[in-house]
Amino acid sequence: MVHHISTAELSLEDINAILSEGKTLALSEEAKKKIVDCHEYLYKKIENSDAPIYGINTGFGSLYKVSISPENLGQLQVNLVMSHACGAGEEVPQEVVKIMLLLKIQSLAYGHSAVQLETVERLVQFYNRGIYPVVYQQGSLGASGDLAPLAHLCLPLLGLGEVNYEGYRLKGEDILDMFSWKPISLKAKEGLALLNGTQFMSAYGVWCCLQANHLSNMADVIGAISLEAFSGRLDPFNHLIHKVRPHAGQLQTAERFRELLEGSELIASPKKHVQDPYSFRCIPQVHGASKDAIRYTNDVITTEINSVTDNPNVFPEEDLIVSGGNFHGQPLAIALDLLCIALAELGNISERRTYQLISGLRDLPEFLVSESGLNSGFMIPQYTAASIVSQNKQLCTPASVDSIVSSNGQEDHVSMGSNGATKAYRVVKNLESILAIELFNASQAIEFRKPLKTSEKLNSVLEAYRQKVSFVTKDRVLHYDIKNSVNFIHNFKLSF
């Protein structure tokens, strides 16, 4: 139950296993050696040369022209962390802060950041003991690193800031006292290494990608249940159609639906209609395009979490300290904007299927209840879905095309990927609700198709769902059903 941090590639699946299985972290011997060697190299370099090295013996940003005396190098780093802790807005969810800790440890362990081993080990202890620094969602420009959020992440190392621990909000100094820890005494470059980096954006990206992969799978399953409930046709999923337009996601979606619907009496039953509405007929094309976009985002995030993103980068073997721009979040910003669009479209087409199901078409009762009129039935859940879909469209305005100059023009182009990250989080949460409403409607509608049965796979999902949400015979407070549906989708593990 221990994951050893090393230079081995860390995949999204690895992170999912670490999180879901409650693994603790430990630095491998390889990682310890790289951290120590890089730190010792830097100090020898400083001792033997008085040449200016950005952020180590100079000021930061546009203050790079100011030289710092040797006796103030440590204080420079402490000042950096304190002065950059300017977060605002809502707190970052603890589930994301946990990933931030993991990714910051991973990045520092490559041995190109020149931090002390003690500093990285303290971050490991924070992770393992469930000590989650209080971080705020607003403040990063997505370049120069996620400065403000990462400053808040690292304040407790110094006995500053606040943490969440076992349901309590504690001061940084109190959590150190609780475990008899001394504040970390930052050395040259350490503050810069801790604050430079894309771990705020990346952590949100990891969380969103893990959820997106799950919700994409659930969208197929729920869409298939809706197709059955709407007495839809299997023709649009014929492999020949997709063979002549072979986008990977489209092919994958069509094959998935054929597997999900195998053995269904409903899909094999005679149909009165020749074609289905686009929200059913074009599922392979729409869901497939989203799959392709999610796959691209997964690739970008995977590259990022296996990267060194602070500045400058230290290369002991090459005897070089190089100032560059690996902290710039443009790759993430574009990918996260794309992810927002991909997920919003899954929600968009889902709401349209919900609308078709309640419209009194194809022998289904209006609003999916008996005695409609006396009962409003499923009229208003569709309103809720439509409202959330509209909000998603607003959230899909790209963050990555914006840039505001900072630091007296030295930092004259930024990615705004942090804003892309936080809005992607909201889109994921919104999609979960939209799909929950579709499942709520589809499970109700399919009851009116009895005695015909759906496939074994879809029936297994419906049986599990019915343990959480019962059939609606007359009006009741549906908020609780929607809430239970969201929880079902969030926690349900597909076995096929």
Side-chain angles (χ1 to χ4, degrees):
M1 295 299 292
V2 177
H3 172 78
H4 287 88
I5 299 289
S6 69
T7 57
E9 180 168 303
L10 190 65
S11 68
L12 291 175
E13 292 76 17
D14 292 333
I15 294 180
N16 189 47
I18 292 167
L19 298 174
S20 62
E21 297 172 17
K23 292 183 179 182
T24 57
L25 303 181
L27 294 173
S28 66
E29 292 304 314
E30 174 200 28
K32 289 180 182 179
K33 186 176 186 306
K34 284 182 173 294
I35 292 167
V36 170
D37 288 351
C38 187
H39 179 67
E40 291 179 350
Y41 165 80
L42 176 64
Y43 263 80
K44 289 178 182 176
K45 196 75 174 176
I46 295 172
E47 289 173 358
N48 297 327
S49 172
D50 57 359
I53 308 173
Y54 173 75
I56 295 172
N57 54 16
T58 74
F60 307 103
S62 64
L63 299 175
Y64 70 93
K65 294 169 284 189
V66 179
S67 296
I68 308 298
S69 60
E71 64 271 16
N72 287 324
L73 298 187
Q75 188 61 48
L76 174 70
Q77 302 303 314
V78 174
N79 289 349
L80 176 72
V81 176
M82 292 192 299
S83 67
H84 284 49
C86 295
E90 297 178 12
E91 284 187 34
V92 176
Q94 291 182 42
E95 58 193 353
V96 177
V97 174
K98 185 175 185 178
I99 301 172
M100 288 178 69
L101 287 170
L102 168 60
L103 298 185
K104 176 53 77 175
I105 293 164
Q106 180 70 43
S107 183
L108 296 176
Y110 287 115
H112 295 292
S113 302
V115 296
Q116 299 175 89
L117 179 60
E118 178 189 6
T119 304
V120 186
E121 288 181 331
R122 181 65 57 81
L123 290 171
V124 171
Q125 289 172 318
F126 275 18
Y127 181 95
N128 289 342
R129 295 180 183 273
I131 299 168
Y132 303 125
V134 175
V135 183
Y136 299 93
Q137 292 185 14
Q138 295 175 322
S140 171
L141 298 178
S144 304
D146 290 313
L147 297 176
L150 290 175
H152 283 281
L153 185 77
C154 297
L155 279 175
L157 296 173
L158 312 180
L160 302 173
E162 295 178 300
V163 301
N164 288 305
Y165 176 66
E166 295 188 349
Y168 294 95
R169 181 79 160 256
L170 302 174
K171 292 182 180 179
E173 60 184 317
D174 293 335
I175 199 69
L176 297 189
D177 289 342
M178 185 179 294
F179 291 99
S180 300
W181 292 334
K182 293 181 179 179
I184 297 294
S185 178
L186 295 181
K187 305 299 182 185
K189 193 187 179 295
E190 280 201 285
L192 193 60
L194 291 168
L195 270 57
N196 262 186
T198 62
Q199 285 77 37
F200 175 79
M201 291 178 279
S202 297
Y204 268 100
V206 166
W207 186 92
C208 289
C209 282
L210 292 176
Q211 300 302 314
N213 294 332
H214 172 65
L215 292 177
S216 177
N217 287 332
M218 290 302 295
D220 286 348
V221 171
I222 295 166
I225 295 171
S226 292
L227 183 73
E228 292 276 70
F230 197 63
S231 189
R233 302 183 65 92
L234 187 59
D235 299 19
F237 305 92
N238 188 298
H239 74 282
L240 293 174
I241 293 175
H242 308 289
K243 187 178 178 180
V244 296
R245 196 202 191 194
H247 291 291
Q250 181 175 329
L251 287 164
Q252 182 184 348
T253 304
E255 181 180 8
R256 178 72 166 149
F257 269 71
R258 293 195 300 271
E259 293 172 352
L260 291 171
L261 296 166
E262 187 176 357
S264 167
E265 295 175 359
L266 280 167
I267 203 70
S269 64
K271 312 296 180 186
K272 300 176 184 177
H273 45 278
V274 178
Q275 284 189 333
D276 292 326
Y278 286 1
S279 57
F280 293 96
R281 196 191 335 162
C282 298
I283 286 174
Q285 291 76 13
V286 177
H287 284 209
S290 291
K291 282 185 177 68
D292 290 337
I294 293 168
R295 189 179 298 112
Y296 170 76
T297 307
N298 285 343
D299 290 344
V300 171
I301 297 296
T302 299
T303 298
E304 191 72 8
I305 64 178
N306 290 283
S307 301
V308 178
T309 54
D310 62 314
N311 176 64
N313 296 140
V314 181
F315 300 93
E317 293 182 4
E318 292 81 4
D319 190 21
L320 283 174
I321 301 174
V322 184
S323 184
N326 276 356
F327 50 67
H328 201 295
Q330 198 68 26
L332 292 170
I334 292 173
L336 288 166
D337 281 340
L338 178 62
L339 184 66
C340 285
I341 294 169
L343 298 182
E345 280 304 286
L346 289 178
N348 204 344
I349 196 171
S350 169
E351 183 276 330
R352 288 294 80 197
R353 292 191 294 263
T354 295
Y355 182 85
Q356 294 286 355
L357 290 172
I358 63 173
S359 298
L361 303 172
R362 300 189 179 180
D363 301 321
L364 291 173
E366 281 189 306
F367 305 114
L368 302 177
V369 287
S370 303
E371 297 186 81
S372 54
L374 174 63
N375 293 297
S376 293
F378 284 67
M379 179 188 295
I380 304 303
Q382 183 267 328
Y383 283 43
T384 303
S387 171
I388 300 171
V389 164
S390 179
Q391 186 181 75
N392 270 356
K393 293 174 184 178
Q394 297 157 28
L395 290 169
C396 281
T397 300
S400 58
V401 299
D402 189 31
S403 180
I404 297 177
V405 178
S406 59
S407 195
N408 283 356
Q410 178 71 5
E411 297 164 12
D412 57 346
H413 182 277
V414 297
S415 75
M416 297 300 180
S418 55
N419 291 339
T422 53
K423 69 188 182 72
Y425 183 92
R426 294 176 64 189
V427 171
V428 168
K429 289 289 190 182
N430 283 347
L431 175 59
E432 204 168 49
S433 295
I434 297 163
L435 291 175
I437 290 170
E438 182 186 357
L439 179 58
F440 186 34
N441 281 262
S443 63
Q444 179 82 3
I446 206 166
E447 294 286 342
F448 295 101
R449 298 301 180 191
K450 291 182 175 178
L452 293 178
K453 298 178 182 178
T454 187
S455 68
E456 288 185 11
K457 289 179 178 178
L458 296 182
N459 190 58
S460 68
V461 177
L462 289 167
E463 286 181 348
Y465 180 73
R466 278 287 171 246
Q467 294 177 17
K468 305 295 182 182
V469 180
S470 62
F471 181 78
V472 178
T473 55
K474 58 183 180 180
D475 280 351
R476 65 194 192 205
V477 179
L478 299 183
H479 161 77
Y480 303 107
D481 296 304
I482 294 173
K483 186 176 180 180
N484 289 335
S485 297
V486 170
N487 290 334
F488 175 83
I489 287 177
H490 187 78
N491 296 313
F492 188 69
K493 306 297 183 188
L494 283 169
S495 59
F496 49 82

